[in-house]
């Protein structure tokens, strides 16, 4: 499936794509993502009455959000391996850590999205958590999100040191550096959320929960700014 997707993706002519044919490690990673989605599906409640069916239907937003996050992380890995490949011992080690975190990510993600479904839709989905525990849920989720994006950052950090071996052109050097900047944003936001949640929780668990969640809205302006800067700088390489 990965090979079919790669054939239909738009490619930047300034980049040499070294991993257009999926390796066994790529296939293993795809299989782990498939397992992660399967775990989300089997974690759904089995409706045995019409009331249960209505409750089950209300879990759809949580399920879609969970799937979206999983696919987002998968696409990060797909894009990286398509350009650089994973043919390196240190990258293999990082990839092993990455797929372990993906499986570990499923349940906090599912729990958080079900909790938010209960909160916004006033459902009676069984999610056992007390108010003072919500900040720790935010910290738990934030830690896993931070770890995933930090490992992806280390992927780019590794290939940046392999630029001679991989024969980077000037645009590929810029692209790698730019992606490192983007992933710095991606792992810094959940880290900031963790820190703010811990600090505010000393005074109020309610405000700690709110602040921990609202912090993620920083992604929008930060990524927009990054994108504008990236597009502006990449135009300098047109025709190179």
């Amino acid at each position: 499936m990965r090979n079919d997707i790669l054939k239909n993706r738009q490619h930047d002519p300034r980049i040499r794509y070294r991993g257009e044919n999926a390796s066994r490690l790529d296939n293993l990673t795809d299989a782990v993502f498939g397992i992660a989605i399967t775990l989300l599906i089997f974690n759904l409640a089995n409706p045995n009455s019409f009331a249960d069916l209505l409750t089950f239907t209300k879990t759809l937003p949580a399920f879609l959000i969970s799937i979206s996050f999983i696919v987002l992380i998968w696409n990060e890995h797909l894009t990286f391996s398509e350009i650089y490949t994973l043919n390196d011992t240190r990258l293999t080690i990082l990839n092993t850590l990455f797929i372990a975190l993906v499986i570990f990510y499923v349940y906090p993600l599912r729990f958080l999205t079900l909790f938010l479904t209960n909160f916004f839709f006033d459902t009676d989905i069984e999610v056992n958590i007390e108010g003072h525990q919500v900040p720790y849920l935010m910290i738990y989720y934030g830690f896993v999100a931070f770890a995933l994006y930090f490992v992806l950052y280390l992927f780019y950090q590794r290939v940046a040191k392999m630029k001679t071996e991989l024969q980077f052109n000037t645009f590929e050097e810029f692209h790698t550096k730019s992606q490192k900047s983007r992933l710095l944003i991606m792992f810094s936001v959940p880290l900031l959320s963790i820190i703010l949640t811990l600090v505010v929780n000393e005074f109020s668990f309610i405000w700690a929960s709110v602040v921990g969640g609202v912090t993620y809205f920083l992604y929008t302006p930060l990524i927009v700014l990054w994108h504008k800067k990236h597009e502006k700088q990449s135009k300098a390489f047109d025709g190179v």
Side-chain angles (χ1 to χ4, degrees):
M1 184 183 74
R2 176 183 284 247
N3 288 335
D4 292 333
I5 292 174
L6 292 179
K7 288 178 183 178
N8 296 315
R9 283 164 68 97
Q10 290 186 341
H11 288 167
D12 192 324
R14 298 166 295 185
I15 294 176
R16 182 161 62 95
Y17 293 85
R18 302 162 177 83
E20 289 185 297
N21 294 318
S23 66
R24 294 179 67 183
L25 189 57
D26 288 322
N27 292 330
L28 173 62
T29 305
D30 290 346
V32 169
F33 275 97
I35 292 170
I37 293 175
T38 302
L39 289 174
L40 287 174
I41 295 172
F42 280 107
N43 200 32
L44 296 174
N46 184 30
N48 295 312
S49 67
F50 185 71
D52 289 342
L53 181 61
L54 291 178
T55 300
F56 173 81
T57 304
K58 290 178 181 179
T59 66
L60 180 61
F63 179 68
L64 291 177
I65 292 171
S66 300
I67 290 291
S68 298
F69 278 117
I70 293 294
V71 171
L72 184 66
I73 296 293
W74 174 77
N75 189 63
E76 290 275 5
H77 184 276
L78 176 68
T79 301
F80 176 89
S81 63
E82 180 186 17
I83 296 175
Y84 305 101
T85 78
L86 298 169
N87 190 22
D88 175 71
T89 302
R90 292 187 184 181
L91 286 175
T92 300
I93 294 171
L94 286 173
N95 197 80
T96 303
L97 177 59
F98 176 76
I99 59 179
L101 286 169
V102 167
I103 293 298
F104 195 73
Y105 185 56
V106 170
Y107 289 109
L109 175 61
R110 180 64 178 162
F111 192 93
L112 177 62
T113 51
L114 284 176
F115 169 76
L116 293 175
T117 300
N118 269 350
F119 184 80
F120 288 110
F121 296 98
D122 194 28
T123 59
D124 55 354
I125 303 170
E126 187 177 354
V127 179
N128 296 317
I129 185 171
E130 298 179 12
H132 69 275
Q133 295 175 321
V134 175
Y136 298 104
L137 172 61
M138 299 303 300
I139 292 169
Y140 194 109
Y141 170 82
F143 173 76
V144 182
F146 159 77
L148 275 169
Y149 281 110
F150 184 69
V151 170
L152 286 167
Y153 174 85
L154 293 178
F155 272 59
Y156 283 92
Q157 180 76 4
R158 173 58 182 162
V159 293
K161 295 180 179 179
M162 298 171 61
K163 62 181 181 180
T164 302
E165 180 182 341
L166 294 174
Q167 299 179 336
F168 280 3
N169 58 38
T170 53
F171 181 78
E172 288 173 332
E173 287 188 40
F174 158 75
H175 176 79
T176 303
K177 184 178 179 180
S178 182
Q179 294 306 310
K180 284 175 60 182
S181 298
R182 181 180 62 84
L183 286 166
L184 178 63
I185 295 172
M186 296 303 292
F187 76 71
S188 293
V189 170
L191 181 60
L192 178 62
S193 175
I194 292 171
I195 293 171
L196 291 176
T197 301
L198 286 170
V199 172
V200 179
N201 195 44
E202 294 295 321
F203 309 97
S204 169
F205 70 82
I206 296 176
W207 281 109
S209 305
V210 172
V211 169
V214 169
T215 303
Y216 288 92
F217 285 102
L218 288 172
Y219 272 136
T220 301
L222 291 174
I223 291 299
V224 168
L225 289 173
W226 172 86
H227 182 73
K228 288 182 177 179
K229 181 180 179 182
H230 175 79
E231 289 298 307
K232 182 179 179 180
Q233 293 179 338
S234 65
K235 287 181 180 179
F237 294 90
D238 288 346
V240 175

